[in-house]
Amino acid sequence: MLRHCAAAVPTLLMKGERLKNWDRASYDGIMGLGKRNQTDANTTALLTSLGVDRFTACLGGQGVQGQATRDALSLREAPGGRGMLPPIGDGIGGRLMLTDDMPELAGQFKPLETVGRIAWALELSGWSLQGERVADPACSAENGHFCAALVDTGTTLITLPKASYQSVMNSIDHRCQAKAALNTSCLIALQSQQNCSGAIFDALPDIGFTLGGQELAIPPSAYMASLLVELP
């Protein structure tokens, strides 16, 4: 049953693209659910046209799910901050629901206040590895430097400020070397492997984010992946 309808919604037609494997992708287009009421072309934004001020996105089968509203974002973590829980709602798969919550997810999220008026974002105030704080010159509540973390369901990548990236990666490498008893870089050693497994991979720590005052931890399987790289 059609529950939401908007008339004369501006649509961009993609005539040329350079997205890798687009022709084999399981989708035909990209729908942006921005936070603004007006677009760059001074037209009414899609969610506003639909009369919607909240939506629930379930990333079925990915091990992490979230709900976004104009005022709050909700995240789910395993008890004790030990990584992500498996998908909620057995068999519900990936789903987008406008306005209404999913009954299968009731009571399993903690609302967090969003920041910014253009994009869905949370205040990022620090990092941790296995619960131990990482010294970050760019995003650290202790130093009075807060960052905005964009929550984007359209990507599986984690992008960071350069200073944060170097600090987090160095901390991951040092902790991994100590646990695996290596005299060389864990991350370089992993580059010679074909799969994300084995003793070195198991020595990688969970990464913790402090988002909107809430701790969220992800395991190595969520931030490391095997990729086929073509070197020149």
Side-chain angles (χ1 to χ4, degrees):
M1 179 183 295
L2 181 64
R3 302 183 63 181
H4 303 281
C5 181
V9 176
T11 303
L12 297 178
L13 176 63
M14 185 181 295
K15 291 187 175 181
E17 45 73 26
R18 296 182 181 179
L19 298 177
K20 189 175 182 180
N21 298 324
W22 173 273
D23 57 330
R24 292 182 292 168
S26 58
Y27 52 85
D28 300 313
I30 301 172
M31 181 174 65
L33 299 176
K35 203 176 181 185
R36 296 185 299 176
N37 293 324
Q38 296 291 121
T39 67
D40 291 337
N42 293 322
T43 59
T44 304
L46 176 60
L47 288 180
T48 302
S49 297
L50 294 172
V52 170
D53 62 1
R54 62 184 298 168
F55 63 89
T56 298
C58 173
L59 309 182
Q62 300 300 314
V64 91
Q65 302 172 53
Q67 169 181 293
T69 72
R70 291 205 183 267
D71 300 314
L73 187 93
S74 301
L75 299 173
R76 183 176 188 247
E77 64 170 345
R82 286 290 300 171
M84 298 176 298
L85 291 173
I88 313 169
D90 184 27
I92 67 174
R95 188 189 303 177
L96 172 67
M97 306 225 8
L98 301 178
T99 303
D100 296 332
D101 296 331
M102 298 182 194
E104 301 93 333
L105 313 182
Q108 301 188 62
F109 290 89
K110 179 177 179 178
L112 303 177
E113 292 298 320
T114 59
V115 296
R117 293 181 297 176
I118 297 177
W120 304 106
L122 293 168
E123 181 183 84
L124 173 63
S125 56
W127 308 81
S128 63
L129 299 178
Q130 299 295 149
E132 182 178 332
R133 205 70 169 175
V134 173
D136 182 359
C139 303
S140 172
E142 290 81 1
N143 297 331
H145 299 154
F146 294 88
C147 293
L150 299 178
V151 183
D152 184 1
T153 58
T155 181
T156 57
L157 301 177
I158 301 175
T159 57
L160 311 173
K162 185 176 181 179
S164 296
Y165 173 81
Q166 293 175 337
S167 179
V168 173
M169 293 298 287
N170 288 338
S171 298
I172 290 174
D173 212 6
H174 292 159
R175 178 176 285 273
C176 179
Q177 285 183 51
K179 185 174 182 180
L182 290 180
N183 294 323
T184 185
S185 167
C186 271
L187 298 179
I188 292 178
L190 284 170
Q191 291 180 27
S192 64
Q193 296 188 185
Q194 293 185 350
N195 299 305
C196 290
S197 60
I200 299 178
F201 183 81
D202 292 340
L204 292 170
D206 291 355
I207 297 180
F209 308 84
T210 305
L211 296 170
Q214 174 77 7
E215 296 294 331
L216 175 72
I218 60 174
S221 58
Y223 66 84
M224 296 288 287
S226 299
L227 297 175
L228 180 62
V229 179
E230 297 179 1
L231 299 177

